Amino acid sequence: MSRSSSVFISRLRGLPVLDAAGDQVGKVRDVVIQMRTEGRAPRVHGLVVELFARRKIFVPMPRVHAIDGLQVMISGTVDTRVFSRRQAETLVVDDLFDRTFSREGSQVSIFDVAMRPVRSHDWEISEVAVVPARGNRFTSLRKKALSTTIVDWNEVPALVMTSSQSTERAIAEMQDMKPADVARELHDMTPTRRAEIAKALDDDLLADAIEELPEDEQVSLISILDPERAADILEEMDPDDAADLVQDLPEPLAERLLARMRPEDAEDVRSLLVYDDFTAGAMMTPEPVILAPDATVADALAKIRGEDITPALASMVFVCRPPLDTPSGRYLGVVHLQRLLREPPSTMVSALLDTDLEPIATDTLVGAISRYFATYNLVVAPVINSENQLVGAVTVDDLLDHLLPADWRGDQMDGAPGAVNRG
């Protein structure tokens, strides 16, 4: 199948799903879509994949690397938690196939649904195959194929958002908002409505929105979620933001959620909880961009192009001896993005080190960190421990979160004038 053309979902069903190593993970069983407002085609959210143990999991479309007539290739780590459909989601096979509606005065039923790529990892519904509403899907398939009509998605009522779908409409509108705007919408809702919407939002969008809420609202929102879902949200949050939230939770709840998180994500959060408030250790992220000395400029640029790398973290790579996870091997220095852009792709990063930029210690206080950022005009800075290992990086947004008054997010939501930084 060509990525430039529509792919009919019935042809995807049953295809093997292979991971980056070429090993089969399972088979495609369904496609999850979400309605959108303002006349836009429904977005393809991801695939329902059945593992060999007949356990169904969800694979988001950004993880789908390639689709052809024989297989689906995915990248990244497979999340094996059981798929659970949310209120604003529709399953194409289970919910739409064989659904009947009126078209041009006669009854037709949905025989197949097509999706098409609109940009990298972003797919939407494009066309629908309909047949006269007689019999069922599995009788006289040849006859049905001969009488199939292809129509645009917006001719099918089940794919068009209506004004009566209040929760679905709210979720659809939020999908295209920035996290801060979603947070503002949640802030303005009644507690009951906020809980309803939060339970229907995607994990990644809800996690981003929670990071933008005032601390007390973060606590109340994460506390009303089912513990399994709350743990999922903490995994999606930046580790430093998740650590701040966990620290504000009652200790029994905090421990229960940490125990339900993936071990590697929980370890990142626990590693930040040991540092004192308003220190570099407490505000840093333990996931900066780290490279070995023999990595090339091409390697560095490929790594900072990752979708999960923020602009601040992408502005600088840190060079260390292995291991390359934090705490790393011996810290060697940094390379700035602008330097990477000026050098040949084959140049090793060890030849480009800025060794004049002194790293900051984990116990450095916020006031000293702010002066450090101002002195060197930085948006990110390396943090090392007493053994000269890189343990994380402080970004300018982490710094601002700790410089502004504790209630600055609430003031912003309520339309108060801009807050003044602490002295």
Side-chain angles (χ1 to χ4, degrees):
M1 298 174 192
S2 169
R3 284 183 58 89
S4 62
S5 61
S6 293
V7 177
F8 278 95
I9 289 167
S10 65
R11 298 179 183 177
L12 289 183
R13 197 161 189 258
L15 285 185
V17 177
L18 308 183
D19 62 17
D23 297 324
Q24 184 171 344
V25 174
K27 293 183 177 181
V28 177
R29 286 303 177 213
D30 216 325
V31 174
V32 183
I33 65 174
Q34 289 182 319
M35 304 304 170
R36 290 195 287 181
T37 57
E38 299 174 356
R40 288 178 296 174
R43 175 185 287 131
V44 179
H45 190 204
L47 307 178
V48 178
V49 175
E50 185 177 85
L51 307 182
F52 294 114
R54 305 190 69 82
R55 179 189 185 98
K56 292 181 180 178
I57 66 169
F58 176 71
V59 177
M61 288 309 290
R63 293 284 178 86
V64 177
H65 177 66
I67 296 175
D68 61 35
L70 300 176
Q71 61 197 9
V72 175
M73 297 292 297
I74 63 174
S75 59
T77 305
V78 176
D79 188 340
T80 58
R81 283 171 295 198
V82 175
F83 167 70
S84 177
R85 175 171 44 172
R86 304 231 164 84
Q87 181 176 346
E89 295 175 337
T90 299
L91 297 179
V92 172
V93 176
D94 282 357
D95 298 338
L96 297 182
F97 279 13
D98 295 326
R99 180 179 286 197
T100 300
F101 65 97
S102 178
R103 179 177 182 268
E104 297 179 351
S106 12
Q107 291 293 304
V108 295
S109 60
I110 297 174
F111 187 69
D112 210 342
V113 177
M115 64 184 197
R116 67 182 179 91
V118 289
R119 60 181 67 88
S120 178
H121 306 304
D122 195 1
W123 294 66
E124 66 182 21
I125 296 303
S126 56
E127 301 168 315
V128 178
V130 299
V131 294
R134 297 192 301 270
N136 61 55
R137 180 177 184 79
F138 303 102
T139 58
S140 188
L141 286 178
R142 182 175 179 275
K143 185 176 181 181
K144 284 200 169 191
L146 293 174
S147 58
T148 298
T149 301
I150 304 298
V151 301
D152 288 337
W153 67 269
N154 56 11
E155 294 184 48
V156 181
L159 296 175
V160 178
M161 179 69 68
T162 65
S163 58
S164 62
Q165 296 167 303
S166 59
T167 297
E168 288 83 353
R169 175 170 287 275
I171 298 300
E173 291 171 347
M174 288 181 179
Q175 293 297 326
D176 297 307
M177 291 182 183
K178 294 185 180 298
D181 295 325
V182 175
R184 185 184 296 276
E185 292 290 327
L186 292 172
H187 173 79
D188 291 339
M189 293 175 183
T190 65
T192 301
R193 180 63 169 163
R194 186 185 303 133
E196 180 185 9
I197 295 297
K199 290 174 182 176
L201 280 172
D202 297 343
D203 287 352
D204 54 351
L205 182 54
L206 180 56
D208 290 341
I210 285 178
E211 291 176 3
E212 302 294 334
L213 286 170
E215 292 176 2
D216 60 333
E217 292 183 24
Q218 291 186 19
V219 170
S220 65
L221 192 49
I222 205 76
S223 299
I224 64 172
L225 298 176
D226 174 85
E228 193 71 36
R229 176 85 195 285
D232 294 346
I233 298 302
L234 289 173
E235 290 171 358
E236 293 292 335
M237 294 175 67
D238 291 336
D240 53 318
D241 291 314
D244 289 341
L245 175 51
V246 166
Q247 199 165 34
D248 292 333
L249 294 174
E251 187 172 346
L253 176 58
E255 282 302 322
R256 189 156 65 248
L257 297 185
L258 286 169
R260 289 175 178 267
M261 292 173 66
R262 289 189 292 260
E264 61 272 22
D265 293 318
E267 181 57 34
D268 283 343
V269 173
R270 290 185 190 276
S271 71
L272 298 176
L273 293 174
V274 303
Y275 298 107
D276 293 333
D277 290 343
F278 300 105
T279 64
M283 68 177 73
M284 69 183 180
T285 173
E287 299 175 341
V289 179
I290 307 176
L291 296 169
D294 59 352
T296 64
V297 168
D299 294 331
L301 292 175
K303 194 155 188 180
I304 62 178
R305 276 200 295 265
E307 293 180 357
D308 296 334
I309 306 298
T310 65
L313 287 176
S315 69
M316 187 183 292
V317 299
F318 304 101
V319 182
C320 305
R321 297 291 182 190
L324 301 183
D325 293 322
T326 55
S328 70
R330 184 162 63 90
Y331 170 77
L332 300 176
V334 307
V335 183
H336 301 274
L337 172 60
Q338 284 189 323
R339 182 69 188 273
L340 291 171
L341 295 174
R342 291 197 296 264
E343 300 294 338
S346 59
T347 304
M348 289 197 297
V349 292
S350 55
L352 309 176
L353 292 178
D354 178 355
T355 55
D356 294 331
L357 184 68
E358 290 292 330
I360 54 181
T362 55
D363 59 356
T364 305
L365 294 174
V366 65
I369 298 171
S370 64
R371 290 190 291 273
Y372 176 93
F373 269 68
T375 299
Y376 297 107
N377 297 315
L378 298 175
V379 293
V380 64
V383 182
I384 62 168
N385 61 16
S386 59
E387 299 177 6
N388 198 36
Q389 298 171 303
L390 186 74
V391 291
V394 174
T395 61
V396 67
D397 56 309
D398 297 326
L399 178 60
L400 287 174
D401 277 346
H402 289 78
L403 283 173
L404 292 167
D407 59 352
W408 75 270
R409 293 189 188 277
D411 289 343
Q412 185 184 49
M413 300 278 178
D414 296 330
V420 179
N421 288 357
R422 289 181 184 148

